[in-house]
Amino acid sequence: PLEFLDIRSFHAVLDGQNILESVTIDPKLLRLEVEREIKGKLLLARQSFLESDGDAARLLGILSRSFAALRVIFFGIIYLRENRVVRDARELVERVSEHFGLNPAVLLEVGRARSGELKPSKEEMEKIFFAYLEELVRLAEKVDKI
């Protein structure tokens, strides 16, 4: 459901009939996929941390991949909660944070580190990483209750 929602929301018909017009997204299945994806990202981040041996560059890579995947997950969450499409990444973070009591500053800090705007030391990177994991845990617990 997440992929169909993403495709349906961002596709452009170049020629012919819009075959995605009739695709319906079952909210129950979308919620299940969102839950599974969040828990999967959390598990993968924890496992990757153990494999990283605390290397700051590797931690940044883990956060970058995880944060990029969250965009689609957040997109699905906002669709479930507000029945609308939000395209802006910052707005997605802010809306999801508002709905679930997350700290948007932590998530946005990961985005800044990912873009190179923030150059954290090894200690700062670990602090960011663990704060990010805490937000994912909080989100996973609350998505269970949607």
Side-chain angles (χ1 to χ4, degrees):
L2 267 176
E3 287 78 10
F4 279 118
L5 177 63
D6 191 45
I7 293 167
R8 191 179 75 184
S9 299
F10 294 104
H11 79 285
V13 177
L14 299 177
D15 187 35
Q17 190 177 13
N18 182 358
I19 61 170
L20 296 173
E21 207 170 52
S22 63
V23 172
T24 57
I25 308 296
D26 184 335
K28 292 175 190 168
L29 296 177
L30 180 58
R31 193 210 64 81
L32 285 172
E33 185 175 10
V34 163
E35 178 186 353
R36 186 195 68 207
E37 288 295 323
I38 291 168
K39 289 179 179 181
K41 298 300 172 237
L42 181 59
L43 186 63
L44 184 61
R46 286 176 173 160
Q47 178 184 358
S48 297
F49 176 78
L50 294 174
E51 294 170 356
S52 76
D53 200 28
D55 180 79
R58 289 178 75 182
L59 290 177
L60 179 58
I62 295 163
L63 285 176
S64 292
R65 288 185 299 278
S66 180
F67 189 74
L70 278 185
R71 181 213 151 267
V72 175
I73 295 167
F74 283 7
F75 181 74
I77 289 172
I78 293 304
Y79 184 81
L80 282 170
R81 298 295 293 223
E82 300 178 8
N83 200 30
R84 69 184 184 106
V85 172
V86 174
R87 296 170 190 249
D88 180 68
R90 183 179 190 88
E91 185 181 355
L92 280 171
V93 167
E94 290 169 353
R95 301 298 306 141
V96 168
S97 296
E98 185 178 311
H99 282 293
F100 295 99
L102 304 180
N103 183 350
V106 170
L107 299 170
L108 294 172
E109 189 173 40
V110 170
R112 290 178 44 228
R114 181 176 185 255
S115 71
E117 181 183 333
L118 179 67
K119 305 277 189 204
S121 67
K122 179 182 177 181
E123 293 78 22
E124 292 170 328
M125 182 55 69
E126 283 188 12
K127 183 179 174 185
I128 291 168
F129 190 88
F130 287 117
Y132 177 75
L133 285 182
E134 285 179 30
E135 296 306 310
L136 284 184
V137 167
R138 187 173 294 121
L139 180 60
E141 290 170 352
K142 292 184 177 185
V143 164
D144 272 345
K145 297 175 176 118
I146 293 180

